[in-house]
Amino acid sequence: DEGKFDEKNVALTQKNRAYYLDILKEHGCNNLKRVLVMTVDGNGRVYLQKKGEKYEVFTLDWKETLW
């Protein structure tokens, strides 16, 4: 949210910040300050909105089961 990770929620996904940074880069976001909001549900469905842009929804290929 607003370029900041919620570390508690990152830990819940059993992934690390680098994993999410790579995903952001894949979606054209090289600067965290451009991220307005990014959420990920337990099935790997992502809602990503960059500042000044329309949101996008996509699904990650989770390698292991979460929660």
Side-chain angles (χ1 to χ4, degrees):
D1 182 27
E2 293 285 336
K4 298 174 191 161
F5 281 90
D6 182 327
E7 297 299 337
K8 182 177 176 183
N9 287 336
V10 169
L12 286 173
T13 66
Q14 301 172 1
K15 306 290 184 191
N16 59 33
R17 289 172 55 117
Y19 175 81
Y20 293 106
L21 290 171
D22 287 344
I23 290 167
L24 289 169
K25 286 178 185 175
E26 289 173 11
H27 289 270
C29 191
N30 295 320
N31 182 344
L32 286 179
K33 295 293 183 185
R34 289 193 56 218
V35 177
L36 181 63
V37 65
M38 178 179 172
T39 62
V40 183
D41 71 14
N43 295 315
R45 188 161 175 87
V46 179
Y47 171 95
L48 171 63
Q49 186 170 10
K50 296 175 237 170
K51 290 181 181 177
E53 296 184 26
K54 187 177 178 191
Y55 70 90
E56 58 182 295
V57 178
F58 55 94
T59 303
L60 299 175
D61 183 22
W62 290 117
K63 300 248 188 270
E64 57 268 340
T65 306
L66 300 179
W67 303 290

